[in-house]
C-alpha cells in the first residue's frame, strides 16, 4: 500500500508531489482533526476581517471621501442622495463584483489544482479561462453582446471547452498530466481566436473587447452581478459538499476506488463545478489573470497541511481582487488601471516561482 497508494505505478511520494500536498495541503497527513479545523476557521476569520477592512477603504476613498458612519447610513437608507448614489450605484456594485469574482476564481482554482494534483494547473493555465474569453470576445465583436447574453455565451463556451479538453485527455479516466497538456494547447487556440476577433472587429468594439480581456471592474452589469451572486452561492455549496472527495482523490484513483468513490465521476463533477465558477467570473469582469492560480496555494499554506481549504481559497481570492482593485484605482493619481493589470504584475512572478520550485 505504501508503494502503490497513488494508483497505476504511482508511489505515495509521487501522489503528493504532484501538487505539493505535503506543502500545499491537498492530501491528508493527520492534521485534519480538531486542531486543523480550528486553525482553518481562525485563518478564515482573519481573511474575512482583512477583506472587510479593505472593503471599508474601497467604499471610503475616491473623489468624494466618505466616513464609515456615512457608509453605514447609506447602507441602511439614512444617507443623503449623493452619498446613497455613490455607495449603492458606483462603489458598492464594484466592490461586490470584486468579492464575487475573486471568490469564484479562488474556489475554481482550488478545485482544479486538487483534481489535477498540481499547483501550477489552474483555469488560467489549462485553457478554461482562454476558452471562456474567446467565446465572450466573439460574442462582443460579432454580436455586440453584453449583460445576460454575454454571461450565457461565456458560460456555454467554457463548458464546451471543458468537454473538449476532457474528451481529448480521456484515457480510462481523467488524467492530470494529460488534462494539463491538452489544456495548454486549448489555451493557445483560444488566444489565437481572441487575436483573430480583435483584428476583424471595428475600432470601437475592439477597444471595448480589449478592456474586457484585460479584466476590468469598471463597468460591471448589475443583472450579471445578480446572476453571478446566485451562481456562486449554489456552486460554492456544491463544492463544499464535494470537498471530502478532493481529499480522497489526492491519494490517487486506485485508493479512491477502493474506498468506494468512483474517481472519474467525482473528477468530472468537480471539474464542471470549477468551470462554471470560472466562467461566471470571466463573464462579469473578463479574465482577471492569476487569481485562480494564486489563491489556493496561499490559502493552503495559511491553514496548514491536510486541509482542502475551499472557504479559505474563496476568502483569499476575494481579498486579492479587492486589494488589487484599490491599487489599480489609486496607485497612480489620475490613472485607473484594469484590475487584471495589477493581478498580472503580481501573478506572473508567482507563476515563474512555482515553476522553478517544482521538480
Amino acid at each position: 500500500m505504501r508503494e502503490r497508494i497513488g494508483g497505476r505505478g504511482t508511489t505515495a511520494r509521487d501522489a503528493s508531489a504532484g501538487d505539493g500536498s505535503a506543502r500545499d495541503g491537498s492530501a491528508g497527513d493527520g492534521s485534519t482533526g480538531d486542531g486543523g479545523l480550528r486553525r482553518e476557521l481562525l485563518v478564515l476569520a482573519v481573511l474575512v476581517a482583512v477583506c472587510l477592512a479593505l472593503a471599508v477603504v474601497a467604499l471610503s476613498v475616491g473623489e468624494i471621501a466618505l466616513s464609515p458612519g456615512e457608509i453605514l447610513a447609506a447602507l441602511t437608507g439614512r444617507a443623503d442622495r449623493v452619498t446613497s448614489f455613490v455607495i449603492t450605484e458606483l462603489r458598492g456594485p464594484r466592490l461586490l463584483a470584486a468579492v464575487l469574482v475573486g471568490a469564484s476564481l479562488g474556489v475554481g482554482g482550488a478545485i482544479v489544482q486538487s483534481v489535477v494534483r498540481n499547483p501550477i494547473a489552474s483555469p488560467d493555465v489549462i485553457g478554461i479561462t482562454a476558452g471562456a474569453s474567446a467565446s465572450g470576445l466573439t460574442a462582443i465583436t460579432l454580436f455586440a453582446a453584453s449583460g445576460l447574453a454575454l454571461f450565457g455565451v461565456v458560460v456555454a463556451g467554457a463548458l464546451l471547452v471543458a468537454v473538449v479538453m476532457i474528451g481529448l485527455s480521456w484515457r480510462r479516466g481523467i488524467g492530470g498530466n494529460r488534462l494539463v497538456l491538452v489544456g495548454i494547447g486549448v489555451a493557445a487556440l483560444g488566444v489565437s481566436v481572441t487575436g483573430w476577433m480583435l483584428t476583424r472587429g471595428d475600432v470601437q468594439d475592439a477597444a471595448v473587447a480589449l478592456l474586457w480581456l484585460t479584466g476590468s471592474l469598471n463597468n460591471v452589469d448589475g443583472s450579471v452581478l445578480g446572476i453571478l451572486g446566485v451562481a456562486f452561492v449554489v456552486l460554492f455549496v456544491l463544492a463544499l459538499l464535494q470537498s471530502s472527495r478532493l481529499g480522497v482523490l489526492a491519494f490517487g484513483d486506485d485508493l479512491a476506488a477502493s474506498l468506494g468513490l468512483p474517481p472519474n465521476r467525482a473528477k468530472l463533477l468537480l471539474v464542471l463545478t470549477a468551470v462554471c465558477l470560472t466562467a461566471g467570473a470571466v463573464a462579469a469582469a473578463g479574465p482577471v489573470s492569476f487569481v485562480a492560480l494564486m489563491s489556493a496555494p496561499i490559502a493552503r499554506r495559511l491553514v496548514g497541511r491536510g486541509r482542502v481549504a475551499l472557504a479559505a481559497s474563496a476568502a483569499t481570492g476575494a481579498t486579492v481582487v479587492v486589494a488589487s482593485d484599490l491599487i489599480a484605482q489609486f496607485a497612480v493619481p489620475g490613472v485607473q488601471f484594469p484590475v487584471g493589470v495589477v493581478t498580472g504584475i503580481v501573478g506572473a512572478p508567482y507563476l515563474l516561482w512555482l515553476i522553478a520550485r517544482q521538480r
Side-chain angles (χ1 to χ4, degrees):
M1 172 68 83
R2 181 179 178 84
E3 294 298 320
R4 302 287 294 182
I5 195 170
R8 290 192 296 272
T10 304
T11 65
R13 181 178 179 181
D14 292 336
S16 64
D19 67 342
S21 58
R23 298 175 298 275
D24 295 322
S26 298
D29 66 349
S31 65
T32 57
D34 292 340
L37 178 59
R38 283 195 297 269
R39 175 170 175 174
E40 182 172 355
L41 292 175
L42 177 61
V43 169
L44 179 61
V46 172
L47 287 171
V48 170
V50 171
C51 190
L52 287 175
L54 291 171
V56 173
V57 174
L59 294 175
S60 301
V61 297
E63 293 185 5
I64 301 176
L66 299 175
S67 67
E70 291 174 313
I71 295 172
L72 182 60
L75 295 176
T76 55
R78 295 182 291 105
D80 59 80
R81 294 179 60 183
V82 174
T83 302
S84 296
F85 177 79
V86 169
I87 295 297
T88 59
E89 299 295 330
L90 300 179
R91 298 177 189 173
R94 184 182 185 119
L95 173 63
L96 182 59
V99 171
L100 290 175
V101 168
S104 298
L105 292 175
V107 178
I111 293 174
V112 171
Q113 290 170 357
S114 296
V115 169
V116 178
R117 289 185 284 162
N118 191 327
I120 299 175
S122 75
D124 309 90
V125 176
I126 68 171
I128 297 173
T129 300
S133 302
S135 61
L137 183 62
T138 301
I140 290 174
T141 55
L142 296 184
F143 307 106
S146 61
L148 298 181
L150 180 61
F151 189 94
V153 169
V154 170
V155 173
L159 288 172
L160 177 61
V161 167
V163 170
V164 171
M165 288 169 48
I166 292 172
L168 293 176
S169 62
W170 190 279
R171 293 294 185 277
R172 297 190 301 273
I174 301 176
N177 289 335
R178 289 191 300 273
L179 186 64
V180 171
L181 293 174
V182 170
I184 291 173
V186 170
L189 180 61
V191 171
S192 300
V193 172
T194 297
W196 180 43
M197 286 298 157
L198 283 175
T199 58
R200 66 168 297 169
D202 60 40
V203 175
Q204 184 175 1
D205 289 341
V208 173
L210 188 59
L211 179 63
W212 182 80
L213 279 175
T214 309
S216 174
L217 299 171
N218 291 342
N219 297 300
V220 177
D221 189 281
S223 58
V224 170
L225 192 58
I227 293 180
L228 178 60
V230 174
F232 171 75
V233 171
V234 173
L235 293 170
F236 182 58
V237 171
L238 182 60
L240 289 178
L241 293 175
Q242 302 175 81
S243 60
S244 60
R245 299 180 179 184
L246 288 173
V248 176
L249 289 172
F251 289 106
D253 293 357
D254 289 350
L255 181 59
S258 69
L259 294 174
L261 175 65
N264 292 324
R265 188 193 312 169
K267 288 181 180 180
L268 184 60
L269 184 56
L270 284 163
V271 169
L272 291 179
T273 302
V275 169
C276 291
L277 283 165
T278 303
V282 172
V288 183
S289 58
F290 294 112
V291 176
L293 174 72
M294 295 186 292
S295 300
I298 293 173
R300 287 172 182 156
R301 286 179 177 274
L302 291 174
V303 303
R305 298 163 57 187
R307 312 299 301 186
V308 176
L310 291 181
S313 297
T316 302
T319 302
V320 167
V321 176
V322 172
S324 298
D325 191 44
L326 280 171
I327 295 172
Q329 292 184 77
F330 303 110
V332 179
V335 179
Q336 277 198 15
F337 297 103
V339 66
V341 172
V342 178
T343 59
I345 291 173
V346 176
Y350 179 78
L351 175 60
L352 294 176
W353 176 76
L354 273 181
I355 295 174
R357 70 189 286 265
Q358 293 298 310
R359 292 174 299 180

